[in-house]
């Protein structure tokens, strides 16, 4: 029997929803009991006091009107109140029977009058309302004592009395009704709150199961949309994260394959030429030097590849802060041209620099030099037959545009958006496969985005390419 019992997870969202719904329903019932039972007497008393005060203030204002007596009688009958007009000695002025007209009886003695009309008779205030207990009455009464006015002989006052009827019988009836209502409401709240908590938590429970599938390595899962905006936003975010995770897994596989390939090829060449020097060209100075130069070239390629990987790691990990300063972009371009002219064989390549306007910008000089270096190196790798590379730094309307232009093989339009990806050279296999590490343009993109530059490429297959970025002049 114990094994068949339902286990309740008290930390689950369904149980939490259900608990909150039940607590909310119980709170409403408690508030209802307090208002209807505990505070009923206070509410009834305050309501009666407001009613008596309103009638008393109204009659005081109507004292001089011709219909004053009629209004007094009407309110006395309608509201079951005792309304009396008396003078300063406590004698009844209105309403009077034919016997009262002769004897003008005293309604209250002088001590009681002084007590009831304290502060009123001396003009400190126009009226007062209070609760008192009369000897001959079982229940307390509300008394309104107010000043009406005076004539040549007397001052006149109004006194309104009404009993505070007990509400015990009403309270007993309300208690019985509230017990029935409370039981029904509590049962309904338990059932309905369980249903609503199940309905609200179901998408999250399903999402949790899907997330566990994703965690187990199933990257084909999909988080479904439901009727709730917040959960839909979460589903869309998780679907996006799943897609990015899938891309990351593929990228990791590509990275391992590409790095292995790019390291293995030069290492194989270095080993092969080392063996050739040992076994074949050791005594042949000219042949040995040629083999050694090949080894040096392959080692340079390895160094360049490793440096690209290190730069990529620093940029993506944000290990270095952007150190912005005011620089002359045309000066930076000229310095890089001078550097390339010393590095490559003189006379093979033709570098041209075009500059116009204010070419000063704000940038990280080191990183920007690296980006432009990669663009020039990219152009050299795929240069056209004219061997010309044009660097253009033009300022128009406060915007500086830098361009690196070659007249090489160009890029098909369908591939323009892909060239900024990591290792695109290797993965694409049909664009520029013969040179470079496949990381240069990806590093360029990250540096431009780090500076928030507008950048892009314009190219026509077979006619050359133009890589550019734009920023504000300073």
């Amino acid at each position: 029997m114990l094994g068949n019992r339902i286990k309740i997870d008290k930390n689950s969202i369904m149980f939490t929803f259900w608990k909150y719904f039940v607590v909310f329903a119980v709170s409403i019932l408690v508030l209802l009991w307090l208002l209807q039972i505990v505070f009923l007497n206070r509410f009834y008393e305050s309501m009666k006091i407001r009613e008596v005060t309103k009638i008393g203030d109204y009659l005081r204002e109507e004292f001089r009107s011709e219909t004053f007596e009629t209004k007094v009688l009407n309110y006395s009958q309608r509201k079951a109140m005792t309304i009396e007009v008396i003078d300063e000695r406590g004698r009844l002025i209105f309403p009077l029977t034919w016997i009262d007209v002769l004897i003008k009886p005293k309604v209250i003695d002088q001590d009681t009058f002084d007590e009831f009309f304290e502060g009123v008779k001396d003009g400190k205030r126009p009226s007062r309302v209070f609760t008192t207990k009369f000897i001959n009455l079982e229940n307390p009464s509300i008394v309104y004592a107010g000043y009406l006015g005076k004539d040549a002989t007397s001052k006149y006052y109004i006194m309104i009395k009404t009993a505070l009827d007990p509400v015990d019988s009403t309270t007993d009836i309300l208690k019985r009704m509230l017990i029935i209502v409370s039981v029904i409401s509590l049962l309904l709240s338990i059932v309905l709150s369980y249903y609503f908590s199940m309905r609200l938590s179901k998408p999250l429970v399903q999402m949790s199961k899907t997330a566990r599938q994703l965690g187990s390595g199933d990257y084909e899962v999909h988080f479904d949309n439901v009727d709730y905006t917040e959960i839909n936003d979460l589903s869309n975010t998780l679907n996006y994260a799943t897609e990015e995770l899938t891309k990351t897994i593929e990228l990791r596989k590509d990275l391992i394959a590409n790095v292995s390939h790019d390291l293995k090829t030069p290492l194989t060449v270095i080993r092969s030429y080392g063996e050739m020097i040992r076994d074949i060209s050791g005594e042949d100075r000219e042949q040995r030097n040629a083999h050694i130069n090949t080894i040096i070239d392959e080692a340079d390629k390895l160094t360049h590849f490793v440096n690209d990987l290190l730069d990529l790691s620093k940029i993506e990990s944000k290990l270095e802060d952007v150190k912005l300063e005011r620089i002359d972009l045309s000066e930076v371009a000229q310095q890089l041209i001078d550097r390339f002219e010393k590095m490559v064989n003189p006379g093979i390549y033709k570098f041209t620099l075009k500059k116009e306007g204010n070419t000063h910008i704000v940038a990280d000089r080191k990183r920007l030099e690296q980006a432009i270096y990669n663009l020039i190196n990219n152009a050299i790798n795929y240069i056209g037959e004219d061997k010309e590379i044009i660097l253009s730094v033009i300022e128009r309307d406060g915007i500086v545009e830098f361009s690196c232009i070659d007249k090489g093989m160009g890029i098909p339009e369908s591939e323009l958006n892909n060239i900024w990806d990591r290792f695109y050279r290797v993965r694409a296999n049909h664009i520029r496969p013969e040179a470079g590490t496949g990381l240069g343009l990806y590093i360029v993109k990250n540096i431009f985005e780090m500076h928030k530059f507008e950048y892009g490429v314009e190219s026509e297959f077979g006619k050359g390419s133009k890589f550019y970025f734009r920023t504000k002049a300073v």
Side-chain angles (χ1 to χ4, degrees), residues 269-379:
V269 173
I270 290 172
R271 178 181 176 83
S272 299
Y273 276 83
E275 290 175 349
M276 290 173 65
I277 293 172
R278 181 193 65 189
D279 300 333
I280 300 174
S281 61
E283 301 299 330
D284 186 338
R285 179 182 178 88
E286 183 178 349
Q287 192 175 19
R288 184 178 68 243
N289 288 339
H291 292 166
I292 291 174
N293 286 333
T294 301
I295 292 174
I296 293 172
D297 288 342
E298 294 301 321
D300 287 340
K301 289 180 181 178
L302 279 177
T303 302
H304 182 61
F305 181 65
V306 171
N307 286 336
D308 278 350
L309 287 176
L310 290 174
D311 287 337
L312 179 63
S313 176
K314 289 179 182 179
I315 292 172
E316 290 189 329
S317 302
K318 297 181 180 178
L319 296 177
E320 293 184 0
D321 296 330
V322 180
K323 300 176 182 178
L324 299 178
E325 58 180 306
R326 186 174 184 266
I327 61 174
D328 187 343
L329 187 54
S330 62
E331 179 186 328
V332 172
Q334 184 61 58
Q335 290 174 355
L336 288 170
I337 288 175
D338 295 341
R339 180 177 168 186
F340 271 96
E341 286 178 339
K342 293 176 182 178
M343 288 171 51
V344 300
N345 294 329
I348 294 180
Y349 300 103
K350 179 183 177 183
F351 295 95
T352 303
L353 175 61
K354 298 179 180 179
K355 58 181 180 179
E356 180 181 326
N358 176 21
T359 58
H360 287 84
I361 65 171
V362 173
D364 185 319
R365 187 184 190 95
K366 179 182 175 182
R367 286 301 178 193
L368 192 58
E369 286 179 352
Q370 183 182 12
I372 296 175
Y373 177 92
N374 284 354
L375 289 179
I376 297 174
N377 194 57
N378 182 75

Side-chain angles (χ1 to χ4, degrees), residues 36-49:
Q36 295 295 330
I37 304 302
V38 177
F39 300 122
L40 183 61
N41 285 326
R42 296 181 185 177
F43 177 75
Y44 170 71
E45 180 178 343
S46 63
M47 183 185 68
K48 290 289 288 183
I49 289 175

